[in-house]
Amino acid sequence: MIGFKILTKDGLKGPYQKSSIIKAITSAQIPLQARLLDLETGKYLSAAELVGEQVDARKPAEKSAPTDNSNELRLDEETGSRD
């Protein structure tokens, strides 16, 4: 087996054996979002893909509009005046 390289902010690090990468992922030394270069195929994959996990794609919380009976201040639109 050829192995993988890990993409870091300082460039590619490695090569490492697949078993070493999996051990580092499962022991939280490598985050699931880490990008890995498969030296056999030349393609990048995430650490999560390598171990068969899915990374949560967190969406920003949606802001709900206040109801008419709330006591919240509501600005419908900006008028441009600074009075």
Side-chain angles (χ1 to χ4, degrees):
M1 176 181 295
I2 296 175
F4 295 87
K5 286 191 176 187
I6 303 170
L7 181 62
T8 68
K9 64 181 178 181
D10 297 325
L12 290 169
K13 302 292 181 185
Y16 300 100
Q17 293 179 1
K18 183 177 181 178
S19 59
S20 298
I21 295 286
I22 291 172
K23 185 176 180 181
I25 294 168
T26 57
S27 65
Q29 294 174 341
I30 296 176
L32 291 174
Q33 298 85 1
R35 303 299 294 165
L36 306 173
L37 175 61
D38 185 341
L39 297 175
E40 187 174 346
T41 64
K43 295 182 180 181
Y44 283 93
L45 68 151
S46 70
E49 291 172 312
L50 185 66
V51 294
E53 293 287 327
Q54 290 185 352
V55 179
D56 291 336
R58 295 186 179 161
K59 296 178 183 177
E62 293 181 21
K63 294 181 181 178
S64 60
T67 59
D68 289 336
N69 59 358
S70 73
N71 292 329
E72 295 180 19
L73 175 63
R74 237 174 86 177
L75 301 175
D76 290 333
E77 60 183 58
E78 229 176 277
T79 61
S81 66
R82 296 187 178 253
D83 294 329

